[in-house]
Amino acid sequence: EAQVTQNPRYLITVTGKKLTVTCSQNMNHEYMSWYRQDPGLGLRQIYYSMNVEVTDKGDVPEGYKVSRKEKRNFPLILESPSPNQTSLYFCASSRQGLDSPLHFGNGTRLTVT
Amino acid sequence: KNEVEQSPQNLTAQEGEFITINCSYSVGISALHWLQQHPGGGIVSLFMLSSGKKKHGRLIATINIQEKHSSLHITASHPRDSAVYICAVRRHGGSQGNLIFGKGTKLSVKP
């Protein structure tokens, strides 16, 4: 089944403890991206990748890192999480940039205490 | 002011009604996406538009590039259409992968 898989679904952690949220797609898509969703602010883009080894900042990249070493995986890394990174995170992919429909993962709810 | 504005913010309809959700944007764009977020949180892509009109089942999306406006119509609405509908745009000439979102329209369809 074609899908975007995010893990974990729920994560509670403490300030400063490094964490990684994984994202994997099995559709051979070139484009992958990360978003966060907050009440009253809606969805905002964190980082995106047009293809392997090509990443770029979205609108809210501070405090996050990404890498795209393989086409299928696009992990989101929080080196030193802070409470203001408590949010609902979504990964998405598409066949070719934003000129193709987006496929979203199920989301990761992160709480940083 | 947000670059992408949606109206209304909240919409309640009776089953069977024709529904229109609007999206206006203040920047030049090369693509516009309509997304649906179900109460459980999952997000599904409904349409990707760069011009004209697209139809899928009871859903119709239109875009007017000159007026910087797009509409999402739902015909014969049903309670299962209850969701948040989100408009998102890719700026023309901007970073190729950068997407800007509206804040969403929450639709509730009553039986």
Side-chain angles (χ1 to χ4, degrees):
Chain A
E1 180 191 349
Q3 59 187 356
V4 178
T5 304
Q6 277 181 246
N7 279 300
R9 288 295 307 275
Y10 300 92
L11 180 57
I12 301 173
T13 190
V14 296
T15 299
K17 186 176 180 183
K18 180 179 178 180
L19 66 92
T20 299
V21 184
T22 63
C23 175
S24 179
Q25 49 92 6
N26 63 359
M27 296 169 278
N28 201 36
H29 283 174
E30 290 186 352
Y31 176 87
M32 296 186 76
S33 58
W34 276 103
Y35 309 91
R36 61 179 288 174
Q37 186 175 38
D38 302 288
L41 296 175
L43 283 158
R44 294 177 292 168
Q45 190 174 41
I46 303 171
Y47 270 96
Y48 63 91
S49 169
M50 297 300 291
N51 213 325
V52 177
E53 300 291 2
V54 180
T55 62
D56 210 343
K57 295 177 181 177
D59 294 317
V60 287
E62 297 79 18
Y64 305 94
K65 282 175 58 176
V66 292
S67 67
R68 187 95 182 271
K69 295 190 174 74
E70 313 161 278
K71 203 168 191 178
R72 61 170 44 233
N73 295 322
F74 191 46
L76 180 70
I77 302 157
L78 285 72
E79 294 267 2
S80 183
S82 63
N84 65 11
Q85 292 178 297
T86 292
S87 187
L88 178 58
Y89 292 86
F90 288 97
C91 177
S93 72
S94 75
R95 185 173 50 84
Q96 196 171 17
L98 292 173
D99 296 328
S100 306
L102 289 162
H103 299 254
F104 284 83
N106 287 331
T108 295
R109 188 167 291 282
L110 172 66
T111 302
V112 184
T113 60
Chain B
K1 187 179 184 297
N2 294 329
E3 291 174 286
V4 180
E5 297 274 3
Q6 288 186 234
S7 63
Q9 276 188 295
N10 294 283
L11 180 56
T12 300
Q14 287 298 128
E15 184 173 355
E17 284 185 4
F18 180 85
I19 288 162
T20 296
I21 297 170
N22 298 297
C23 175
S24 296
Y25 47 91
S26 57
V27 295
I29 70 165
S30 56
L32 183 143
H33 294 254
W34 280 104
L35 309 172
Q36 180 191 53
Q37 186 169 27
H38 282 285
I43 301 175
V44 174
S45 175
L46 297 176
F47 295 102
M48 194 285 296
L49 293 162
S50 54
S51 64
K53 178 179 175 177
K54 286 189 177 179
K55 184 175 190 288
H56 186 253
R58 295 179 295 105
L59 301 178
I60 303 165
T62 64
I63 188 168
N64 185 316
I65 297 293
Q66 286 76 24
E67 293 187 6
K68 296 186 175 176
H69 181 268
S70 176
S71 293
L72 177 68
H73 305 286
I74 305 174
T75 61
S77 59
H78 190 274
R80 65 174 174 267
D81 296 324
S82 298
V84 176
Y85 293 84
I86 302 167
C87 168
V89 304
R90 174 189 153 190
R91 289 189 199 94
H92 179 68
S95 301
Q96 287 193 18
N98 186 224
L99 200 59
I100 319 166
F101 296 85
K103 295 207 168 120
T105 294
K106 186 173 182 180
L107 171 65
S108 178
V109 182
K110 307 288 185 194

